[in-house]
Amino acid sequence: MNVIETTKLTKYYGKSRGIIDVDMTVAEGEIYGFIGPNGAGKSTTIRTLLGLIHPTSGSATIFGKDVTASGPEIRQEVGYLPSEVFYYDDMRVIDLLRYSASFYRKDRTAIEARIKSLAELFDLDLKKKIDDLSYGNKKKVGIIQGLAHEPKLIILDEPTGGLDPLIQQQFFHLLKEENAKGATILFSSHILSEVQKLCDRVAIIKDGSIIKVEQIKTLLENSTKRFKLELVETPVASAFAVDGVSDLAITNHSVSFLYRGRVNEITKMLAEQDLVDFLVEEPDLEEIFMHYYKKEDEQ
Amino acid sequence: MNIYLREMKAHRTGLIWWCIGMVGLVASGMAKYDAYQAAGVSVQEMMAGMPKAVLTVFGMTGFDLTKASGFYGVLFLYIGLMAAIHAALLGSHLVSKEERDRTSEFLYAKPVSRNHALTSKLLAGLTMLVIFNLATLLSSFYFVNLFGQGESVGADIRILMMGLFLMQLIFFTIGTAVAGVIRKPKAAPSIAMSIMFTAFLVSYLVNMSENLQFLKYLSPFKYYDAAVLMADGRLDPVYVALSVGIVALAVLGTYRFYSARDLSV
């Protein structure tokens, strides 16, 4: 069964583009990545799914029900963490979380117990005023209000901003636990490595349209890395004519290029070079789009 | 019920201050009457010395200022203005605050429909209008009686407070409608206030010129003119019908626009 299904979902803000003809299916029990640069339409899609904004055309269903017609009913089983969190400044953390819990039909004592255990896990003081929290701690409040009622669908819109690496790890661990218990997760991000760690499948969105849906395995096999080399002597361009190399730039003794393919092939080539230093890094999404997906579009 | 309670709690302090303000306004106004009486100043003579036009513009004609009830009638102009400001701000604020504070993305991701949230907010607002009105009513009874030297004022105050409540409802629902329609949450209270002050100025224009009498239908302040209400002893059914019509339309507009539009997040 599909938990989320959108058909030609389109949203315009006046004349400016939000998303165009988005077809997306998220299966039950899946962790579905939703990746694209800022402004590509990730938040627009998510906000439409939540009924915060209404589609211009096309439709979307969650649990088989239309998001516009059955919004409140659907949201009984949805937990949502937005990219930026804002809560009522005059409330204490526990008041906010109880207020949040009061909207759900689930057993109140069970939710309360879960709030306590999650607060302990994330080391969050429930008695503090929202106004006095740091941004990272507000984000923790966001995680708890999104997960306390044990929703069947968890929607996360760039959730990791403001979380330190340790908390991020605990958060990912928690998400995997929820997923193991049966929750479906839609995880939006502009950071590829984040999505790689967590997701089964990933949709890539660009300029309001989904340009590719791939298994994370395929994406990893095709993973592109940026290489930066420092050499003893000025390199010759022909030495780098290996399959999978693109965006080659040589300045004095340094070389920079993108490589996509088997790691063994490139290390063989590297072994022949007289290296002073080298660096391999994750290219940012823009680069992947520029050198991978753009080319595929042209083909 | 949760949203209702949340709003009552969030507005509690503000409401208390407004009520204190109203009690203070009535108390200080009537104390002034008492001071004039004690000093033996004939207010009527003092007023007679003022140009007629000035008195008319300020809506001070038609009152017997030697009596506490007449003095209270003049005071009612300011009570009405304060009540209208409170109601317009309350209405626009209740509806626009989630977007202004950017909590709409929290609230409306919960299993709650916009109509349901609106109903809770409108009911919370209604409760607060009643409390505001009761504070004004009780303090009016108390202070007018205190300085009234045995004059019977109960009927006058009752009718004025009924008029005041209808006026509160009108400006409250205009406030909610503005916030329901407008996508810029910060602009909603100022637009609601502009509408309210325009209506107030229109009531001045009507006072100023006989030729502008037709404008009286545009200003709720003229619907519940203290001099007329106290003379007639009842509300004018035409104005009551008009008030109910405006309120109904504004409430309908609030629901229609607010549930149909995109929230700004």
Side-chain angles (χ1 to χ4, degrees):
Chain A
M1 199 194 94
N2 286 328
V3 170
I4 301 177
E5 218 174 312
T6 71
T7 320
K8 293 205 169 305
L9 193 65
T10 301
K11 175 68 189 176
Y12 275 89
Y13 299 101
K15 277 189 179 155
S16 67
R17 174 217 31 100
I19 47 171
I20 305 163
D21 290 341
V22 166
D23 291 316
M24 181 163 90
T25 51
V26 180
E28 191 173 2
E30 184 173 33
I31 304 185
Y32 191 90
F34 196 33
I35 193 157
N38 292 325
K42 299 187 298 288
S43 295
T44 299
T45 309
I46 286 173
R47 284 170 184 164
T48 310
L49 289 174
L50 289 165
L52 297 168
I53 54 178
H54 303 299
T56 310
S57 64
S59 65
T61 61
I62 294 180
F63 309 128
K65 291 169 197 141
D66 184 80
V67 294
T68 312
S70 320
E73 200 190 329
I74 290 169
R75 293 195 294 270
Q76 279 290 345
E77 288 297 344
V78 175
Y80 171 52
L81 175 62
S83 55
E84 285 180 88
V85 293
F86 294 95
Y87 300 114
Y88 307 93
D89 282 345
D90 59 320
M91 278 180 153
R92 290 181 309 154
V93 174
I94 186 70
D95 297 331
L96 186 276
L97 292 173
R98 281 185 184 141
Y99 183 47
S100 168
S102 70
F103 288 95
Y104 300 98
R105 281 195 295 263
K106 298 225 167 97
D107 177 35
R108 204 58 58 81
T109 47
I111 299 184
E112 183 90 14
R114 199 162 142 83
I115 288 174
K116 294 262 158 67
S117 75
L118 287 174
E120 211 163 296
L121 174 69
F122 287 117
D123 193 23
L124 179 69
D125 184 355
L126 290 172
K127 292 200 183 73
K128 270 201 171 171
K129 265 200 162 188
I130 299 278
D131 204 20
D132 298 333
L133 296 182
S134 68
Y135 189 72
N137 278 333
K138 269 187 206 171
K139 205 89 195 210
K140 292 178 190 170
V141 177
I143 295 173
I144 299 176
Q145 64 81 34
L147 298 182
H149 57 291
E150 306 204 274
K152 288 189 186 134
L153 172 64
I154 301 167
I155 298 180
L156 309 158
D157 191 2
E158 303 196 5
T160 52
L163 292 179
D164 64 54
L166 187 68
I167 299 292
Q168 201 165 316
Q169 211 177 348
Q170 282 173 326
F171 176 47
F172 279 18
H173 183 72
L174 181 65
L175 289 177
K176 280 186 178 151
E177 261 178 23
E178 289 307 302
N179 180 243
K181 280 193 274 175
T184 309
I185 299 174
L186 174 63
F187 186 102
S188 126
S189 174
H190 64 270
I191 304 160
L192 195 59
S193 56
E194 243 178 47
V195 174
Q196 284 173 350
K197 259 185 234 164
L198 204 65
C199 302
D200 308 320
R201 248 188 343 149
V202 57
I204 297 162
I205 186 166
K206 191 191 174 196
D207 296 335
S209 303
I210 290 187
I211 54 173
K212 190 126 190 149
V213 179
E214 272 197 300
Q215 295 290 330
I216 213 76
K217 261 186 277 165
T218 326
L219 206 71
L220 283 177
E221 279 161 14
N222 289 331
S223 80
T224 308
K225 296 270 190 291
R226 174 162 292 282
F227 284 77
K228 285 178 182 165
L229 317 178
E230 248 342 280
L231 295 137
V232 179
E233 280 165 32
T234 311
V236 209
S238 61
F240 300 95
V242 179
D243 255 7
V245 168
S246 61
D247 197 31
L248 182 68
I250 301 174
T251 43
N252 295 332
H253 290 210
S254 18
V255 183
S256 161
F257 59 87
L258 285 173
Y259 176 71
R260 181 180 152 220
R262 287 168 47 85
V263 181
N264 270 334
E265 304 292 323
I266 198 78
T267 45
K268 257 183 230 161
M269 186 271 278
L270 289 179
E272 290 161 16
Q273 305 297 323
D274 198 357
L275 291 173
V276 177
D277 195 6
F278 88 104
L279 179 73
V280 185
E281 51 184 17
E282 198 83 35
D284 59 36
L285 261 188
E286 292 295 333
E287 282 182 308
I288 296 180
F289 285 130
M290 291 272 285
H291 296 285
Y292 174 16
Y293 292 104
K294 197 175 160 198
K295 271 186 203 138
E296 273 192 11
D297 284 349
E298 283 161 4
Q299 277 164 17
Chain B
M1 199 60 182
N2 47 4
I3 298 177
Y4 175 89
L5 291 176
R6 164 77 200 133
E7 292 300 351
M8 291 305 290
K9 211 171 171 189
H11 284 86
R12 189 175 51 196
T13 315
L15 182 64
I16 290 172
W17 281 112
W18 271 102
C19 289
I20 291 173
M22 291 313 287
V23 173
L25 177 66
V26 174
S28 64
M30 293 319 290
K32 205 165 279 168
Y33 167 77
D34 192 51
Y36 284 140
Q37 293 295 326
V41 183
S42 166
V43 185
Q44 207 74 355
E45 265 172 39
M46 201 171 82
M47 290 296 167
M50 280 203 190
K52 182 96 185 355
V54 173
L55 293 177
T56 319
V57 167
F58 286 100
M60 290 163 91
T61 50
F63 296 109
D64 180 357
L65 293 175
T66 56
K67 284 179 167 175
S69 59
F71 205 89
Y72 182 74
V74 176
L75 190 60
F76 182 75
L77 186 73
Y78 301 98
I79 293 175
L81 182 63
M82 296 306 278
I85 293 173
H86 170 255
L89 282 179
L90 179 65
S92 55
H93 187 230
L94 272 172
V95 176
S96 67
K97 61 184 283 199
E98 306 289 347
E99 289 173 278
R100 188 202 60 187
D101 300 339
R102 304 189 64 182
T103 47
S104 50
E105 210 174 11
F106 164 78
L107 181 61
Y108 294 109
K110 299 288 150 202
V112 62
S113 70
R114 298 212 200 146
N115 282 349
H116 178 94
L118 259 188
T119 305
S120 304
K121 282 167 177 280
L122 291 183
L123 287 176
L126 194 65
T127 312
M128 289 185 259
L129 294 184
V130 169
I131 293 171
F132 182 101
N133 193 286
L134 281 178
T136 313
L137 176 78
L138 294 176
S139 57
S140 297
F141 268 130
Y142 180 74
F143 287 108
V144 178
N145 270 323
L146 186 67
F147 300 122
Q149 292 149 346
E151 187 194 351
S152 160
V153 288
D156 283 336
I157 291 174
R158 260 200 304 279
I159 198 78
L160 286 177
M161 286 305 127
M162 275 161 67
L164 184 73
F165 189 63
L166 285 166
M167 213 155 80
Q168 285 175 285
L169 281 182
I170 292 175
F171 287 113
F172 174 71
T173 52
I174 286 177
T176 62
V178 167
V181 174
I182 298 283
R183 276 205 63 186
K184 291 203 177 77
K186 279 187 184 132
S190 45
I191 292 172
M193 288 294 273
S194 311
I195 294 174
M196 196 277 304
F197 273 114
T198 308
F200 191 68
L201 288 179
V202 167
S203 75
Y204 270 43
L205 289 179
V206 177
N207 288 344
M208 245 152 55
S209 165
E210 282 294 318
N211 298 331
L212 296 173
Q213 284 304 305
F214 64 95
L215 284 177
K216 66 187 178 188
Y217 294 105
L218 289 181
S219 174
F221 290 99
K222 284 312 280 182
Y223 301 0
Y224 306 106
D225 188 305
V228 178
L229 289 186
M230 286 163 76
D232 292 355
R234 68 183 183 93
L235 302 173
D236 185 334
V238 175
Y239 286 135
V240 173
L242 206 56
S243 305
V244 172
I246 293 173
V247 170
L249 213 66
V251 169
L252 200 73
T254 308
Y255 276 96
R256 268 285 179 80
F257 285 100
Y258 192 63
S259 55
R261 74 169 162 87
D262 291 344
L263 291 171
S264 51
V265 279

